[in-house]
Amino acid sequence: MMWDQIRDNTTINLDLFLEIVDFCIGASFFSFRQKYYLQTSGTAMGSPLSPILADIVMENLLSKAIGRANLSPQFIRKYVDDLFLVLHKDQIDAVLAIFNSLNPKIVFTAEVEVNNQLPFLDLLVIRQEDNSIKTDWYAKPISSGRMLNYFSFHPTDQKLAVVNNFIDRVRSLSTIRTREQQDQLIHQHLRNNDYPHTLINRLLRQPRRIENTDRPTVYRSIPYIDGLTPSIKKIITNSGLQLGISHSNRNTVGNLYKSAKDPIPVLNKNNVIYRIDCRDCPSAYIGMTTNKLRTRMYGHQTHINTLENKLAEGYQYTDPEIQLLQEKSALMSHCINHQHRFNIQQPSLVDSTYKRQALQVLEMCHIATTSNTVNHRTDTDNLSCAYANLLSTIKTQRGARNASSTTNQNRQNTRILTTPLTQTNPTNQTPPTINTPQ
């Protein structure tokens, strides 16, 4: 355990620290086909704790193995679970056996140099005849050579960053190639990913980039929309604000495939914007909740039950005891003022976010763009006027789509009514004419 290095960065004691780690690891459970499973060994993939614990475990294993082997390698480097050691060839099997004796659930394999060459990550170490070392950029034989394609729907600066990073890695890792050979390798891989000759040549000729140390203190991510997002980023950059803008692409590979995980029921989701339709009129209520949607529906139902109980006791809608319930929500206000009821058991999910601070803004936007809402006007008072034009356009387009959908439905209903008239005509006489919209 590396408690000597950890305790300098925390105020809790070792027992509490181990209890917290054990609790976090023990929470690695998941559901599949309505059954719950608990991970009995190791940490979950994707957990923020996993890479930290993996690094601690590897450091511990490495120190124990070197101590038991009673040797000092001439050279050793570690990257997560990959180790690069320089040992005498007669010691390889003994050192490997020591590593594999430390934990029965962790198995190490050894890869020795072939033809004086040994790969480590994307670096190929080449031992010369005089025992000097040369290096080269390395890709596994099974590597497809694919990188971010030039025609992919990504911001241009992301594509340039990928290319510049590839150029830097090839040039910094390849000490055995001449500059011309490096450029040929770079050119070949970039052309396989559809990057134009002119762009490749320009990036190869430009001076080596210097890292900018004056970075913005705050970063914000916005969805990438071709044409619009670069313009917004340019405006913010030129404004002098200490704000960095990064792009998020909604068209990801994950959206193309169905998730293997069990879907979360709508009522079990949290941090959502929801809608409840009125049973007696076209109105709807838009709300938000950071808790599970089921819990929020229980709250609405409790208020409705209170109203129903008071009405059963003989109270009238105009009585102060009933009017006081209007303060609970705009939904209750509509129920009392119009004597209507809502479909509390059938809420619909409108939007969701993992950022709680964005939830209130999303709610105001959906209230502003939804027609016939029962929400109070004050529910959108804090919405910035900068959104007014955009939200008005969205609301207009949404209304036009709804009207078009209603018209198409009416057309279908009218044609269904005319069909029996033509089929059941007992004679060849002309059936009655019904004008249908065209």
Side-chain angles (χ1 to χ4, degrees), residues 318-335:
T318 56
D319 290 341
E321 291 81 2
I322 299 292
Q323 292 294 316
L324 190 62
L325 293 175
Q326 294 193 53
E327 300 178 2
K328 298 296 184 180
S329 65
L331 182 146
M332 289 300 299
S333 180
H334 182 79
C335 290

Side-chain angles (χ1 to χ4, degrees), residues 270-281:
N270 61 344
N271 292 334
V272 298
I273 309 296
Y274 62 90
R275 169 181 174 143
I276 309 176
D277 293 321
C278 181
R279 293 192 308 217
D280 304 304
C281 71

Side-chain angles (χ1 to χ4, degrees), residues 133-361:
I133 297 297
K134 294 286 186 179
T135 59
D136 194 9
W137 176 80
Y138 176 77
K140 293 183 178 181
I142 61 174
S143 173
S144 65
R146 293 181 179 179
M147 59 182 69
L148 190 62
N149 193 277
Y150 179 76
F151 295 110
S152 63
F153 188 78
H154 286 78
T156 303
D157 55 355
Q158 286 189 10
K159 299 174 185 176
L160 294 179
V162 169
V163 173
N164 285 323
N165 180 66
F166 178 66
I167 293 174
D168 288 346
R169 293 198 66 77
V170 171
R171 287 182 172 174
S172 61
L173 297 179
S174 300
T175 61
I176 198 171
R177 296 176 185 264
T178 63
R179 185 60 171 265
E180 182 179 357
Q181 291 173 335
Q182 293 174 2
D183 291 350
Q184 289 178 353
L185 175 65
I186 294 169
H187 201 279
Q188 176 184 352
H189 279 76
L190 293 180
R191 283 298 301 146
N192 289 338
N193 290 274
D194 297 320
Y195 285 87
H197 291 282
T198 54
L199 176 61
I200 299 174
N201 293 333
R202 178 169 61 84
L203 294 176
L204 288 174
R205 290 195 300 266
Q206 71 179 10
R208 189 176 183 83
R209 295 172 291 118
I210 300 176
E211 188 70 19
N212 183 16
T213 58
D214 299 330
R215 293 184 174 180
T217 56
V218 179
Y219 276 89
R220 289 293 181 266
S221 175
I222 58 177
Y224 177 69
I225 302 175
D226 191 22
L228 177 61
T229 305
S231 300
I232 295 176
K233 182 176 181 180
K234 184 177 180 180
I235 293 173
I236 295 177
T237 302
N238 295 336
S239 66
L241 298 174
Q242 293 297 313
L243 181 65
I245 298 297
S246 60
H247 307 291
S248 61
N249 196 337
R250 298 298 180 89
N251 298 325
T252 61
V253 175
N255 295 332
L256 302 176
Y257 300 97
K258 184 178 179 180
S259 175
K261 299 180 180 178
D262 285 350
I264 301 176
V266 173
L267 292 177
N268 288 343
K269 293 185 177 181
N270 61 344
N271 292 334
V272 298
I273 309 296
Y274 62 90
R275 169 181 174 143
I276 309 176
D277 293 321
C278 181
R279 293 192 308 217
D280 304 304
C281 71
S283 300
Y285 173 78
I286 303 295
M288 72 170 188
T289 179
T290 57
N291 299 318
K292 288 185 178 180
L293 184 57
R294 184 189 307 277
T295 303
R296 183 60 177 142
M297 292 303 104
Y298 285 155
H300 285 306
Q301 189 62 58
T302 300
H303 297 154
I304 295 294
N305 293 341
T306 302
L307 173 61
E308 298 292 355
N309 291 336
K310 288 188 177 295
L311 292 175
E313 293 173 4
Y315 289 97
Q316 302 297 318
Y317 280 99
T318 56
D319 290 341
E321 291 81 2
I322 299 292
Q323 292 294 316
L324 190 62
L325 293 175
Q326 294 193 53
E327 300 178 2
K328 298 296 184 180
S329 65
L331 182 146
M332 289 300 299
S333 180
H334 182 79
C335 290
I336 295 172
N337 292 332
H338 299 274
Q339 301 182 20
H340 289 179
R341 295 298 181 265
F342 284 81
N343 291 319
I344 304 296
Q345 291 75 22
Q346 295 179 338
S348 58
L349 193 63
V350 177
D351 210 337
S352 63
T353 177
Y354 63 91
K355 296 181 180 179
R356 288 194 174 188
Q357 62 271 24
L359 201 60
Q360 188 174 5
V361 178

